[in-house]
């Protein structure tokens, strides 16, 4: 079913993504998809930016985190929506039997590759990759609790982090970066 969640995509977006051999058997199923490229887990865990301080940060799991969504917490890469209210997500998913959450992979990656946009950067303000697990956990709990408040019976599946990979055009096949497997 489609929803009224801002940013919902009616199906897989127009990118090349790996597909399972039996993908054709599922292509007639409709499932709402909400994905904001580059967003972190906290972009889906709050109602607004009202709890943000004057510098544009909120505290999650003891860490100051940018209230700006988008890759590297940069407004240029945010897209059209500044945030997606968690109650909107929860309300629109209230009739679901199963919800899959997988948006949080960017939390660790932003700490690895672009930390200065999302964290203040002063002494003891820049989290290590492992520190982002607490930020992700708190954000996921907020989202899950909001969904369960609307439907306590819905099954929520949280996908694990996947290893980094390289794409090799023109073949367009993916090769796992084996050095990242220990972070999965």
């Amino acid at each position: 079913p489609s929803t009224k969640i801002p940013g919902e995509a009616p199906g897989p977006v127009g990118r090349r993504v790996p597909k399972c051999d039996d993908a054709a058997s599922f292509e007639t199923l409709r499932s709402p998809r909400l994905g904001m490229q580059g967003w972190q887990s906290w972009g889906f865990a709050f109602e607004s930016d009202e709890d943000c301080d004057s510098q544009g940060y909120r505290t999650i799991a003891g860490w100051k985190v940018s209230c700006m969504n988008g890759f590297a917490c940069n407004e240029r890469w945010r897209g059209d929506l500044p945030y997606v209210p968690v109650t909107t997500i929860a309300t629109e998913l209230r009739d679901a039997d199963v919800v899959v959450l997988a948006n949080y992979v960017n939390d660790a990656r932003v700490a690895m590759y672009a930390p200065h946009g999302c964290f203040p950067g002063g002494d003891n303000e820049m989290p290590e990759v492992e520190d982002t697990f607490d930020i992700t956990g708190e954000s996921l709990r907020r989202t899950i609790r909001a969904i369960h408040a609307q439907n306590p019976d819905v099954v929520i599946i949280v996908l694990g982090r996947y290893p980094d990979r390289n794409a090799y055009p023109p073949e367009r096949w993916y090769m796992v970066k084996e050095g990242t497997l220990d972070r999965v």
Side-chain angles (χ1 to χ4, degrees), residues 33 53 75 129 153:
R33 292 169 171 83
D53 66 21
E75 187 173 8
V129 170
D153 297 323

Side-chain angles (χ1 to χ4, degrees), residues 12-106:
V13 291
R15 296 185 198 175
R16 261 185 87 81
V17 294
K19 284 191 175 183
C20 298
D21 292 338
D22 61 350
S25 62
F26 299 104
E27 289 189 10
T28 59
L29 298 177
R30 292 198 20 88
S31 59
R33 292 169 171 83
L34 174 63
M36 302 299 189
Q37 185 173 355
W39 280 31
Q40 292 73 36
S41 65
W42 58 85
F44 304 94
F46 292 87
E47 288 304 308
S48 69
D49 58 3
E50 288 182 13
D51 65 324
C52 298
D53 66 21
S54 60
Q55 285 83 42
Y57 294 95
R58 64 169 43 105
T59 300
I60 305 173
W63 293 97
K64 289 184 96 174
V65 175
S66 177
C67 294
M68 176 61 61
N69 289 308
F71 178 72
C73 301
N74 186 317
E75 187 173 8
R76 291 182 310 173
W77 298 318
R78 180 188 70 204
D80 295 335
L81 300 172
Y83 59 90
V84 177
V86 69
T87 54
T88 300
I89 295 169
T91 301
E92 291 297 317
L93 297 176
R94 69 181 170 271
D95 296 325
D97 296 312
V98 177
V99 172
V100 178
L101 298 177
N103 67 296
Y104 59 92
V105 296
N106 289 326

Side-chain angles (χ1 to χ4, degrees), residues 1-14:
S2 66
T3 70
K4 293 181 179 133
I5 299 173
E8 178 188 349
V13 291

